[in-house]
Amino acid sequence: MRKLTTALLASLVVTAGASAALAADKTEISVARFFGACEADYGTVTDVTKANGECGIITALINKFNADSKTTVVKPEIVEWPGYDQLTARIRSGEPPVISVMHEAVISDYSSRGLLEPLDDDFAKAGVDVNDMTDAARQGVTKDGKIYAMPFDTHTWLWHINMNLFKQAGLVDSAGKPILPKSTDELMKQAQQFKEKTGKPYFISTLANETAFYTRTFDTLLYQQNVDFFADPNKVNFSSPEAKNALQLLADIFSKDLTTKNQDYAASVSSFAAGEGGVFICGTWLIDTYDQEAKKSGALANGYAVTAFPQIYPGSPRVWADGHSWVLLKQDLTDAQRASAIEFMKFLWDNNYEWSRTGHLPIRKSIINSDQFKNLPHRGDIASLAVNGTALPSAVKRQFSIQEIEGEEVGSAMRGDKPVDQALTDAESRINELLANAK
Amino acid sequence: MTDVTLSPGKAVAAVKRPTGASIGPRWSNALFVAPYLVFYVVLLVYPLFKGIWMSMLQSDMFDNTSKYAGMANYHRLFNDKIFIGTVWNTVWFVVMTVPVFVAIGLLLALALNSSDRTAAVLRAIFFGTSVLSVTIVTIIWKMMYMPGNGAIASIFKLLGLEPVAFVTSSSLALVAIAICTIWWIIGLPMMLFLAALQQIPGELYEAAALDNASRWRSFWSITLPSIRRTMLVVVIYEIVAQFQLFGQAQLLTQGGPNNASRPIVLFIYEQGFRSWNLGYAAAASEILFLIMAVAALAQFFVSRKRVEE
């Protein structure tokens, strides 16, 4: 018995020592990301195909990387969306993460100040074929001729539709497709019809506590009217009849009770799943989540559809777009840390299809053209987004701050707190003041 | 006794040699206050002057080539409608909350100024919210204010009333933040008043009772004059604290809608950390400092005058 105990103890010590030695051999790198925390559901999942939704898939991807890599351990640091205040503070205090997720719209603010590492040479050495990047992705991560990030997705603004309520409202055609508006008049008419038939608002919108809905929808409505509001990247122009039309349309939707009015992001996401409205204007990232929801019993059961933002102005089908990417923060990294960072980025590149299951568009031509991607649910319905997604010109500085200001003023007019003309004037002067003082 | 005759020179030497406390400054005593002074200078005086200097620069968060801009940042601030709005919002918030802190804090203290167990439990409950972080507090109040399924909306529905959208209404957003703030930190003024009430000699009340004074008369003529200094402390502390409103507004409303609930500190934060305009943010900080100093000093002088009268 005593011998057995000794043997067991010895083997325990050897195993623990070996594990510690293995872990010590690996280089640890920190990766700051948003997309939420879901350790309870996916903390140990390494089979990425079993994960769903943004949070599930990124968690499983990192788990798989950590399980497979012989040289690197990724330590995820989860931040609140969008996380730039925290990142800025960490850079300023000299404690940045090794890698951070970053919207392509903000890369130039950081790259122009020398805060990011250019990655062209690293990608070439690691075997990342940058020619396989989609045009949108490559443009999004290229600043002043250099690639500053590993693109992860292109995401756009679209309509999630509750087909069960659309049927009830008589807005489904004989082929079983949703009847969508082709003009602003049709939009108001159909929304009114929906409200009368179902007793619910046509739209579910995230109007509380964030400005993304206002900015992205307003930009889309401007793009649809072929308005180039940043013809000069140092000056925005909202003093056009088209801008007034777009904002008035949003104000009318609100004043005629055709949308939910006081929901924040979490409330609006669950409100759509609970069948409290017909159309949820939001992003690509919820496609997989709602598709899974439609497989269960509930308000969305067998009744979920998604479509590109319907063209309600006779100009263009363009729609607001941006992209997530991964940047390497400039700091004193060892060769091993830099190699580990590139190894992780290459892993994400190789597994970009898995991320595209969220609903985001992939950033590799070889994936976007593959049958595997095209056969994913609803991807045929949103194929046009790959061409029509439009980002602000990369020469425009402080894009996130601009979007905040724009959203705030659009929101004020939509909610009736400010006249439409006043909101447009204020948005224009505030943004131009910001740009005039931005270096 | 022995007579001692001293030469004039020796007499002078005897006077110069004191037997009790030393006369004149003893610089070695400075060692006692030095640690405090060092921290005070490094953490308060230096940042104050550095802030004033920064407010006169056009300075970017990541740019080391700041240039002198004189009073340009201040000029820009006084023409910035958003900043002017934040000043009014902040002043209005202080006006809304400070009197309530004093009134409710004092009422609670009067009600709970007893040694029985119920009062002790209630004191702990009322003070308990003060130990929560602002994040927890705003999560709780988000759940309270949610227009669809929030606690307040449910009560409204139960009463057959239309739920009120507190945080998305430009006229109610700041009131909503004020209610949340009062709930959060009412415990501190209550405790300060309790401490003051317990210092009042019981004989005063006994004498008043012998004179048949009413409770109101005792309160007005004994309690209030006795706690005047504490009241001054509470008022000045709350003025200074509430002018620094930030977390609740940032997490509950993000300053909206229509800039209706954006306080000065949130404006400073946005300019510094989002727009990276350090000089502009520093200028706004100096204005806030001046407003707070003026408000606190005014309250101090007014109250001191009353106390002296």
Side-chain angles (χ1 to χ4, degrees), chain B residues 127-150:
Chain B
F127 190 74
T129 54
S130 304
V131 302
L132 299 176
S133 79
V134 68
T135 318
I136 304 293
V137 170
T138 49
I139 287 173
I140 292 170
W141 280 92
K142 263 187 183 180
M143 289 194 281
M144 296 286 287
Y145 288 139
M146 269 197 311
N149 308 313

Side-chain angles (χ1 to χ4, degrees), chain A residues 218-294:
Chain A
F218 183 64
D219 282 0
T220 300
L221 296 177
L222 292 184
Y223 289 139
Q224 288 200 351
Q225 297 175 85
N226 279 329
V227 179
D228 189 3
F229 49 98
F230 262 116
D232 174 356
N234 296 311
K235 231 173 185 183
V236 76
N237 180 3
F238 287 140
S239 42
S240 64
E242 290 86 356
K244 191 172 175 178
N245 289 341
L247 195 44
Q248 190 59 56
L249 175 68
L250 293 176
D252 290 345
I253 288 170
F254 188 90
S255 65
K256 290 179 178 157
D257 299 330
L258 300 176
T259 178
T260 55
K261 293 184 167 178
N262 300 302
Q263 293 176 333
D264 61 12
Y265 181 73
S268 53
V269 169
S270 56
S271 173
F272 179 73
E276 290 173 14
V279 174
F280 182 27
I281 301 182
C282 201
T284 42
W285 53 90
L286 287 170
I287 294 175
D288 186 38
T289 305
Y290 287 140
D291 195 56
Q292 297 300 323
E293 196 66 33

Side-chain angles (χ1 to χ4, degrees), chain A residues 85 92 113 262 408 433, chain B residues 60-61 76 168 262 269:
Chain A
D85 300 349
R92 195 71 180 88
R113 284 165 173 74
N262 300 302
E408 211 173 277
E433 173 84 4
Chain B
D60 182 282
M61 174 78 85
R76 192 179 149 202
T168 51
R262 178 176 280 114
Y269 173 81

Side-chain angles (χ1 to χ4, degrees), chain A residues 392-418:
Chain A
L392 290 186
S394 63
V396 177
K397 297 171 187 165
R398 301 287 197 285
Q399 293 196 13
F400 246 73
S401 294
I402 287 172
Q403 289 174 13
E404 288 280 321
I405 294 172
E406 184 184 335
E408 211 173 277
E409 294 297 341
V410 169
S412 297
M414 183 174 176
R415 306 188 67 88
D417 289 328
K418 201 180 251 191

Side-chain angles (χ1 to χ4, degrees), chain A residues 85 88 91-92 110 113 208-209 262 398 401 408 412 415 417-418 422 426 430 433-434 437 439, chain B residues 58 60-63 76 81-82 142 147 165 168 170 251-254 258 262 269 274-275 277:
Chain A
D85 300 349
T88 298
I91 294 173
R92 195 71 180 88
Y110 290 87
R113 284 165 173 74
N209 236 359
N262 300 302
R398 301 287 197 285
S401 294
E408 211 173 277
S412 297
R415 306 188 67 88
D417 289 328
K418 201 180 251 191
Q422 184 65 51
D426 288 350
R430 285 178 67 190
E433 173 84 4
L434 171 77
N437 289 282
K439 291 189 179 180
Chain B
Q58 199 171 16
D60 182 282
M61 174 78 85
F62 295 111
D63 194 334
R76 192 179 149 202
K81 281 200 286 188
I82 298 298
K142 263 187 183 180
T168 51
S170 53
L251 295 167
L252 269 179
T253 64
Q254 298 198 335
N258 194 23
R262 178 176 280 114
Y269 173 81
R274 293 207 182 135
S275 299
N277 284 324

Side-chain angles (χ1 to χ4, degrees), chain B residues 11 24 38 40 69 82 95 110 131 140 177 179 190-191 207 214 237 263 283 308:
Chain B
V38 167
Y40 184 79
I82 298 298
V95 169
L110 287 168
V131 302
I140 292 170
I177 295 171
I179 294 170
M190 178 193 76
M191 283 300 185
S214 64
Y237 175 82
E308 282 166 358

